[in-house]
Amino acid sequence: MELRSASANVSPSPVAFLGPAGTYTELAALLACPEQPHLHSQGSHPLVPYPTISACLEAVAVGQQQWAVVPVENSVEGGVSMTLDALWQLEGLGIRQALILPIRHALIGRASRLEQIEQVYSHPQALAQCQAWLRSHLPQATLIPTRSTTEELDRLQEQPSAAVIASERAATLYQLPVLACPINDHPDNCTRFWVIGRAPLSRSGQQGETSADPASPGGSHTSLAFSLPHNVPGALLKPLQVFAERGLNMSRIESRPTKKSAGTYVFFVDLENPIGQPYLDAEVVAALESIAETLKLFGSYPVHDLCKQGDLSQVAKALPSEGKARPT
């Protein structure tokens, strides 16, 4: 796979990611190129680890960091609720770029036999993506969710009865043995990541506030979210008709509770932009504003599908592997 670096005259800004070092999000951050989103970079940005996805996005929202890379959807376990909820709750965030990475989980630990493992630590998504393998090979182990796949790797130095599900690259970074790999239940497992920046992209049809980001890079996809009037028959049908009548294909729709009252939801939608139209048409935006209670536009952006570009393990081996970053 050809990786192209950002031009030398662009000063790279730090990128926030879900740490500690060795997470799949760190790998996505190493491959992202926020300033030139139609390109890839290879380790050209300094990375700043954060303990949670919400903390990454909050750092961008308040101006502490310019960019963040966060997971948004896994092909096996679906949407990452913490990312979606934070995007809805925070203001002024826009999507700069999307990266789709293949996921290859490894069981990391110091046990000499699998029967000796009593606890398995990892992010809830990783545990769920390996549940069949775990039931078959480690039925005796207690599964313990963590904030990231690498959060508990240091535990393995003094606890041989524990194991962690993370990437092979993480095992290399922490100099730990790989007991089994791959252990994910589906070989085509992949995760989509968003590169998020500070951009006034939100719109509110209810309050009449309107703003747009002129620096939105444009690309093959547009993402947005909206809430609808409560208990109105056919409320969801109306925005779907807007998309259908204009020939816009939805590549994804997902609902999340508003957290205000039972039975109220926010709908997150990804649209495929028509060929030759890298931005969402203003007419579509106006039609959605007339329907939605609240509408947020996250921008139009390119998507880089690395699952279609060969074995990502070769890319991971070429990336920096010395030292371990720590959350700030």
Side-chain angles (χ1 to χ4, degrees):
M1 179 181 64
E2 179 184 357
L3 296 176
R4 294 171 289 177
S5 297
S7 64
N9 62 353
V10 176
S11 178
S13 301
V15 177
F17 74 97
L18 176 64
T23 62
Y24 295 99
T25 308
E26 183 199 37
L27 180 55
L30 286 167
L31 295 170
C33 187
E35 286 92 353
Q36 300 184 40
H38 293 272
L39 303 178
H40 295 308
S41 66
Q42 186 171 348
S44 61
H45 287 262
L47 303 185
V48 182
Y50 280 81
T52 65
I53 293 171
S54 296
C56 292
L57 294 176
E58 288 171 4
V60 177
V62 301
Q64 185 180 44
Q65 302 296 339
Q66 186 172 354
W67 310 108
V69 174
V70 293
V72 63
E73 182 184 27
N74 177 262
S75 60
V76 176
E77 287 300 307
V80 180
S81 58
M82 187 175 293
T83 296
L84 300 178
D85 291 347
L87 273 176
W88 180 255
Q89 293 162 5
L90 298 171
E91 294 298 329
L93 298 178
I95 302 168
R96 191 73 177 164
Q97 184 184 49
L99 297 169
I100 303 175
L101 272 60
I103 301 299
R104 180 182 165 94
H105 288 308
L107 184 71
I108 302 170
R110 294 190 174 278
S112 57
R113 302 192 318 275
L114 293 182
E115 293 78 9
Q116 296 174 335
I117 297 175
E118 299 175 0
Q119 303 88 20
V120 176
Y121 297 86
S122 196
H123 189 276
Q125 284 253 351
L127 293 172
Q129 292 163 29
C130 303
Q131 55 185 313
W133 191 95
L134 292 168
R135 282 197 304 268
S136 176
H137 295 83
L138 296 174
Q140 78 284 357
T142 300
L143 309 184
I144 304 174
T146 60
R147 292 180 296 184
S148 77
T149 54
T150 60
E151 184 180 40
E152 296 294 332
L153 281 173
D154 284 337
R155 176 187 296 273
L156 303 182
Q157 301 291 354
E158 299 178 356
Q159 189 175 339
S161 63
V164 170
I165 296 175
S167 67
E168 290 177 285
R169 180 171 179 271
T172 301
L173 284 172
Y174 289 78
Q175 300 180 342
L176 290 166
V178 173
L179 303 179
C181 185
I183 66 169
N184 35 285
D185 299 331
H186 300 275
D188 296 329
N189 190 356
C190 60
T191 295
R192 182 161 54 106
F193 297 85
W194 278 341
V195 182
I196 304 290
R198 176 74 184 171
L201 286 165
S202 63
R203 294 174 180 257
S204 173
Q206 184 182 42
Q207 299 176 359
E209 299 173 357
T210 305
S211 62
D213 176 20
S216 180
S220 59
H221 287 71
T222 295
S223 291
L224 53 89
F226 54 83
S227 60
L228 297 166
H230 187 44
N231 285 335
V232 176
L236 180 56
L237 178 61
K238 292 179 181 179
L240 301 185
Q241 284 179 327
V242 170
F243 304 142
E245 290 170 358
R246 290 160 178 80
L248 294 172
N249 183 51
M250 286 192 306
S251 58
R252 171 175 160 269
I253 182 170
E254 182 171 349
S255 64
R256 292 287 303 155
T258 64
K259 307 187 191 317
K260 293 181 178 179
S261 60
T264 60
Y265 298 92
V266 178
F267 296 90
F268 291 83
V269 173
D270 293 341
L271 298 170
E272 295 180 359
N273 295 335
I275 296 175
Q277 298 182 30
Y279 302 94
L280 188 63
D281 190 275
E283 180 187 354
V284 176
V285 175
L288 293 174
E289 286 181 323
S290 68
I291 296 168
E293 183 179 65
T294 302
L295 172 66
K296 283 195 173 187
L297 302 178
F298 301 121
S300 300
Y301 53 89
V303 177
H304 301 290
D305 189 348
L306 304 187
C307 295
K308 298 178 179 178
Q309 300 186 30
D311 186 1
L312 193 62
S313 64
Q314 300 303 315
V315 178
K317 290 177 182 177
L319 293 172
S321 59
E322 295 182 1
K324 293 184 290 183
R326 297 296 180 188
T328 56

